[in-house]
């Protein structure tokens, strides 16, 4: 039987994300590379006590970061505002100013959401390690800072390195431009960011894509993320119900 | 060499107007106007050498790309997964799939390369970025950098700053010399949580250019803004400055 990882709709794609799951959310923080419709589907699905892992914790609403003028942002905040998130792992969790708190910062201050801040490169490498079967690695990043407190460190060549552990997830919600039915992916521009390392780090990776093509529709020389890392693909409509256009 | 007085008249105006409304908690007076953000960026841009790979942080450093000297071609690296890019996109023509690390829309140019976050930071930690310019809350006399966490807020964005601090071959700090209340940002020891230890090589501010000497050798004042002398800069600084015998007025090539 031919392999086809296509899922019919977004609700079905996220239906088995259970309470307490660790969920990675792709992208950098702006509109590009973010799985907007998977996030909305997870909000509607309603699972709770989630740990979400991403570069930001949803900063688009107060900052406009990477969003076109006049388009209502959809990001991690839709899950946080819905009370589904109890822990965030991110490098850039909040807006640039205390006077413009995002939904996460409000929840953090209220003691409802726990935060683990991870340097951006360490965050990506912890995912890469998880996907590559590496339990932990030494990095010079954060040596001598409060983000290294409580972690093992070791000198190599006269320089201090910090031991960082692999970061696994139950699910990764990622975004790509094109998939074939086997799950091979191509991204667009700067919208790769965390999507490839997350795809490899999660037990189940669900890719939201603009188009799905038959095998052979993607040049194998140009595959960005090989389909081995992808369990489900779901195509997003160019225009949502009600005429809302996504960026 | 371009005269500083030619640019300061236009660049400083906005900054001064804002500064005059700030409340100040002490009587330290400025002997002369401070340089505007654009002028700081111009001076930082003079440090870039032809062919270097450059990563510009958010804030004043982002402005540096407007002032790269003629004949100097740089390869811009961004944590958003990009090598080489054009200038900021025109208003209303942004592409959500072409952004810098500050979430601003860029325009494309021939010769760009895209990659994911793991690779973007492998490039940084791996020593492939020649120079980075970063903003700062504090810099210490041994080149410690604090730029990500204000204790009063209790939560901060580290982003890629810690990776750049340890990975870039050269770290230049571009910042205002003093806080809004005139608190010195160059200090003997950082009181804010660190981004990196001993990583800063050069500090460019709105009144001075200061080198961080290697091996804990301290700070050396090498350039001053017009109307500022070594004593007036020292009085606005929270760490001891050695004065270069070649101390000169800031020039913008």
């Amino acid at each position: 039987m031919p392999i086809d990882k296509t899922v019919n709709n977004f609700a079905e794609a996220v239906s088995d994300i259970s309470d307490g799951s660790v969920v990675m959310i792709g992208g950098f923080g702006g509109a590009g590379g973010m799985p907007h419709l998977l996030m909305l589907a997870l909000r509607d699905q309603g699972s709770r006590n989630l740990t979400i892992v991403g570069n930001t914790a949803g900063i688009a609403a107060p900052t406009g970061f990477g969003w076109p003028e006049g388009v209502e942002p959809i990001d991690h905040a839709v899950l946080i505002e819905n009370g589904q998130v109890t822990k965030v792992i991110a490098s850039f969790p909040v807006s640039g100013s205390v006077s413009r708190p995002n939904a996460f910062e409000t929840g953090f201050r209220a003691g409802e959401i726990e935060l683990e801040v991870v340097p951006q490169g360490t965050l990506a490498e912890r995912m890469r390690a998880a996907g590559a079967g590496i339990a932990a690695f030494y990095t010079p990043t954060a040596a001598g800072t409060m983000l290294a407190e409580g972690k093992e460190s070791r000198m190599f060549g006269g320089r201090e390195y910090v031991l960082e552990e692999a970061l696994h997830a139950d699910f990764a919600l990622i975004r790509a431009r094109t998939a074939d039915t086997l799950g091979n992916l191509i991204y667009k521009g700067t919208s790769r960011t965390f999507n490839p390392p997350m795809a490899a780090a999660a037990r189940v990776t669900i890719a939201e894509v603009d188009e799905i093509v038959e095998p052979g529709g993607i040049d194998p020389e140009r595959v960005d993320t090989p389909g081995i890392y992808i369990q489900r693909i779901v195509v997003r409509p160019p225009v949502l119900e009600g005429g809302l256009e996504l960026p | 060499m371009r005269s500083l007085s030619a640019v300061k008249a236009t660049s400083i105006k906005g900054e001064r107007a804002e500064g005059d409304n700030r409340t100040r908690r002490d009587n330290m007076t400025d002997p002369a106007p401070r340089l505007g953000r654009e002028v700081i960026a111009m001076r930082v841009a003079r440090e870039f050498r032809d062919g270097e790979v450059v990563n510009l942080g958010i804030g004043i450093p982002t402005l540096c790309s407007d002032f790269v000297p003629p004949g100097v071609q740089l390869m811009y690296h961004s944590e958003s997964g990009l090598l080489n890019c054009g200038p900021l996109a025109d208003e209303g023509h942004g592409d959500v799939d072409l952004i810098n690390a500050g979430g601003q829309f860029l325009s494309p140019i021939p010769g760009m390369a895209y990659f994911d976050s793991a690779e973007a930071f492998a490039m940084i930690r791996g020593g492939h970025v020649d120079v980075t310019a970063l903003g700062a809350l504090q810099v210490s006399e041994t080149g410690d950098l604090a730029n990500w966490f204000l204790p009063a807020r209790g939560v901060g964005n580290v982003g890629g700053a810690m990776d750049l601090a340890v990975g870039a071959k050269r770290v230049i700090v571009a910042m205002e010399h003093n806080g809004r209340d005139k608190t010195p940002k160059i200090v003997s020891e950082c009181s804010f949580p660190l981004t990196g230890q001993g990583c800063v090589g050069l500090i460019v501010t709105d009144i001075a250019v200061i080198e961080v000497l290697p091996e804990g050798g301290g700070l050396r004042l090498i350039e001053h803004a017009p109307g500022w002398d070594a004593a007036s800069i020292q009085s606005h600084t929270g760490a001891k400055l050695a004065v270069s015998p070649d101390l000169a007025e800031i020039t913008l090539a």
Side-chain angles (χ1 to χ4, degrees):
Chain A
M1 192 172 157
I3 295 171
D4 188 346
K5 297 181 180 177
T6 309
V7 176
N8 291 323
N9 58 63
F10 287 87
E12 185 185 332
V14 301
S15 60
D16 59 345
I17 298 180
S18 55
D19 289 358
S21 294
V22 176
V23 182
M24 291 177 170
I25 297 175
F28 197 66
M34 295 271 285
H36 305 112
L37 298 186
L38 286 170
M39 284 188 284
L40 291 176
L42 181 55
R43 178 196 63 186
D44 296 343
Q45 188 256 37
S47 57
R48 304 182 68 79
N49 194 22
L50 301 176
T51 293
I52 60 172
V53 186
N55 188 37
T56 77
I59 59 166
T63 65
F65 184 102
W67 276 81
E69 198 79 32
V71 181
E72 190 72 24
I74 300 166
D75 64 9
H76 320 64
V78 300
L79 302 172
I80 291 168
E81 285 165 353
N82 201 34
Q84 294 172 265
V85 178
T86 48
K87 183 175 179 184
V88 162
I89 302 174
S91 88
F92 211 93
V94 293
S95 80
S97 165
V98 69
S99 62
R100 289 176 289 130
N102 58 355
F104 161 74
E105 188 169 0
T106 304
F108 175 75
R109 289 201 187 290
E112 292 158 1
I113 307 175
E114 190 187 337
L115 173 65
E116 180 181 345
V117 175
V118 182
Q120 202 169 97
T122 300
L123 185 62
E125 192 64 13
R126 288 178 64 192
M127 294 171 188
R128 201 200 67 78
I134 304 294
F137 57 92
Y138 282 101
T139 176
T141 302
T145 76
M146 74 182 203
L147 296 189
E149 282 169 16
K151 292 174 181 167
E152 289 179 47
S153 74
R154 190 170 156 186
M155 303 297 285
F156 294 92
R159 191 177 194 197
E160 186 181 358
Y161 290 73
V162 180
L163 186 68
E164 292 282 359
E165 293 185 13
L167 182 58
H168 296 267
D170 299 306
F171 294 88
L173 311 182
I174 69 162
R175 171 98 166 90
R177 180 177 63 182
T178 304
D180 66 20
T181 50
L182 305 177
N184 296 306
L185 301 182
I186 292 179
Y187 302 95
K188 181 162 179 276
T190 51
S191 289
R192 294 184 193 207
T193 59
F194 283 88
N195 289 304
M198 285 179 177
R203 186 173 52 81
V204 176
T205 295
I206 310 165
E208 173 176 338
V209 301
D210 292 298
E211 59 169 351
I212 299 175
V213 299
E214 292 301 314
I218 295 177
D219 179 353
E221 302 274 10
R222 294 288 170 266
V223 170
D224 295 323
T225 293
I228 193 170
Y229 301 118
I230 307 300
Q231 281 66 48
R232 300 171 196 163
I233 47 178
V234 55
V235 71
R236 55 192 253 157
V239 180
L240 295 186
E241 274 178 49
L244 175 65
E245 210 166 323
L246 286 168
Chain B
M1 232 170 238
R2 188 150 42 139
S3 152
L4 184 57
S5 56
V7 293
K8 74 182 182 188
T10 51
S11 300
I12 289 172
K13 254 181 197 163
E15 191 74 5
R16 290 292 296 165
E18 188 190 345
D20 290 343
N21 292 328
R22 292 172 187 166
T23 51
R24 290 171 174 169
R25 73 177 179 203
D26 60 34
N27 295 321
M28 275 196 300
T29 52
D30 289 2
R34 290 176 180 242
L35 306 178
R37 292 160 60 87
E38 291 83 0
V39 183
I40 298 173
M42 279 181 209
R43 178 59 188 82
V44 171
R46 234 188 74 193
E47 294 294 314
F48 302 153
R49 301 287 168 258
D50 194 29
E52 280 188 328
V53 178
V54 175
N55 184 301
L56 301 177
I58 298 170
I60 296 173
T62 305
L63 303 173
C64 294
S65 60
D66 290 339
F67 304 113
V68 176
V72 173
Q73 187 181 357
L74 304 174
M75 307 240 304
Y76 290 106
H77 172 278
S78 171
E79 302 97 304
S80 58
L82 177 68
L83 190 60
N84 295 315
C85 59
L88 292 180
D90 292 334
E91 193 95 8
H93 289 80
D95 174 354
V96 299
D97 299 313
L98 186 47
I99 62 166
N100 65 18
Q104 296 169 298
F105 300 120
L106 300 169
S107 55
I109 56 159
M112 295 191 299
Y114 298 124
F115 35 85
D116 67 51
S117 296
E119 183 151 18
F121 284 90
M123 292 173 181
I124 293 171
R125 284 188 314 266
H128 307 285
V129 173
D130 292 307
V131 53
T132 186
L134 299 171
L137 299 167
Q138 290 176 330
V139 181
S140 83
E141 63 188 12
T142 55
D144 290 352
L145 170 66
N147 77 349
W148 78 279
F149 191 95
L150 276 171
R153 187 172 183 184
V155 59
N157 291 323
V158 66
M162 286 191 182
D163 303 280
L164 284 163
V166 300
K169 287 184 199 154
R170 188 171 181 222
V171 177
I172 301 173
V173 162
M175 66 176 187
E176 275 100 17
H177 202 89
N178 298 90
R180 289 190 177 197
D181 58 1
K182 285 218 150 182
T183 308
K185 295 171 73 172
I186 298 171
V187 292
S188 54
E189 200 173 330
C190 295
S191 58
F192 296 149
L194 294 187
T195 304
Q197 288 181 309
C199 55
V200 177
L202 188 74
I203 310 166
V204 179
T205 77
D206 50 2
I207 59 173
V209 180
I210 295 166
E211 286 177 336
V212 183
L213 302 175
E215 314 284 324
L219 303 172
R220 180 163 61 193
L221 176 66
I222 57 171
E223 294 176 31
H224 64 85
W228 289 77
D229 60 16
S232 58
I233 292 167
Q234 178 66 72
S235 74
H236 286 77
T237 305
K240 177 84 185 91
L241 299 175
V243 180
S244 166
D246 303 320
L247 178 67
E249 186 170 295
I250 294 176
T251 50
L252 308 164

